Amino acid sequence: CQGAVGGGGDGSFAVSREGGPTAQELTNENMLKIVTLQCTDLEVNTLVWKCLGYRFFDKNWTTDQVFPNWKEKYPTPPDFINMQRVYSKQVDEPSLRVNQALVRSIPLAHKQMLKPALKPLGWSGYKMVNLTPNKTRRAQCANWLIYYRDHLFGYTVKELKERRQQQQQAEAAARQPLKEGEEEEFRPPVKEVY
């Protein structure tokens, strides 16, 4: 990305504004560069935008391919990281909220995929003492990108909806009837992007 701000991009991060996301852009090596600050905040945002369906065309981001639920709420690509790195409530609130919305779109079973994916590359996570809002949001974006790569990449919205419906039917069929006095197990809500 040209004109990128924030982070320590050295030019080795695989991302292009043009076209949809590529397998090369979604490698674990690229995810490692996100969490180790070897790319810029703009490069991270750009990759997430592309995966959500935003497309850069004629010097503007378009929404023709954006996941419908996401497009309705975010008609322009939002800043997931807070590229300004000003953490006052007034400046930071929009980035914080949009990052939280991205995290909520990950089903519970896939929320902790970052460390297992990057451990073979030598990354064992952040230490609490070194954690910053920027690092946290980068990790959340990288985790979402891994979820996207493993479960959404290459499918149409129609195919994803059909797959979700099949999963819900299979889960409903597998559920045992509740015995008298039993309560259904709590399942956290997921706000999918499609």
Side-chain angles (χ1 to χ4, degrees):
C1 277
Q2 297 295 321
V5 293
D10 62 6
S12 68
F13 186 73
V15 69
S16 167
R17 281 187 177 170
E18 281 73 37
T22 66
Q24 180 187 5
E25 293 171 331
L26 296 170
T27 63
N28 283 345
E29 289 75 16
N30 241 20
M31 300 305 116
L32 181 63
K33 289 175 184 176
I34 290 172
V35 299
T36 57
L37 309 178
Q38 294 178 41
C39 63
T40 66
D41 294 347
L42 180 58
E43 288 170 326
V44 177
N45 274 327
T46 299
L47 183 53
V48 175
W49 295 338
K50 287 176 58 170
C51 291
L52 285 167
Y54 296 98
R55 297 293 178 261
F56 195 74
F57 178 75
D58 199 25
K59 299 182 182 178
N60 291 302
W61 288 96
T62 65
T63 60
D64 298 344
Q65 297 181 40
V66 175
F67 288 116
N69 292 347
W70 196 264
K71 178 178 171 177
E72 184 180 314
K73 194 162 185 178
Y74 304 101
T76 59
D79 179 2
F80 292 97
I81 297 184
N82 185 349
M83 292 191 295
Q84 297 177 61
R85 296 192 185 195
V86 175
Y87 298 107
S88 67
K89 183 175 175 143
Q90 181 180 3
V91 173
D92 188 47
E93 186 86 12
S95 289
L96 174 64
R97 296 295 171 227
V98 74
N99 188 283
Q100 290 171 338
L102 191 69
V103 170
R104 275 193 305 274
S105 74
I106 305 171
L108 185 62
H110 305 289
K111 287 199 186 279
Q112 300 295 323
M113 296 169 62
L114 186 60
K115 248 173 117 171
L118 300 185
K119 192 169 187 169
L121 299 176
W123 192 73
S124 58
Y126 295 127
K127 299 209 182 310
M128 286 296 286
V129 69
N130 298 327
L131 210 52
T132 65
N134 183 271
K135 286 181 179 178
T136 301
R137 292 178 192 172
R138 282 171 167 267
Q140 290 164 329
C141 286
N143 193 67
W144 185 85
L145 289 164
I146 291 169
Y147 167 69
Y148 170 84
R149 176 192 68 201
D150 294 349
H151 300 281
L152 307 178
F153 183 53
Y155 293 98
T156 66
V157 171
K158 182 180 178 188
E159 291 169 330
L160 291 170
K161 287 182 176 182
E162 288 171 0
R163 193 171 68 177
R164 177 181 57 198
Q165 186 176 20
Q166 290 170 352
Q167 288 172 340
Q168 289 171 340
Q169 289 171 346
E171 288 172 7
R175 257 186 239 127
Q176 298 293 325
L178 295 176
K179 296 177 183 167
E180 191 174 324
E182 280 187 332
E183 291 185 23
E184 192 169 337
E185 184 179 329
F186 173 74
R187 295 174 52 172
V190 174
K191 295 197 174 202
E192 294 166 325
V193 292
Y194 54 92

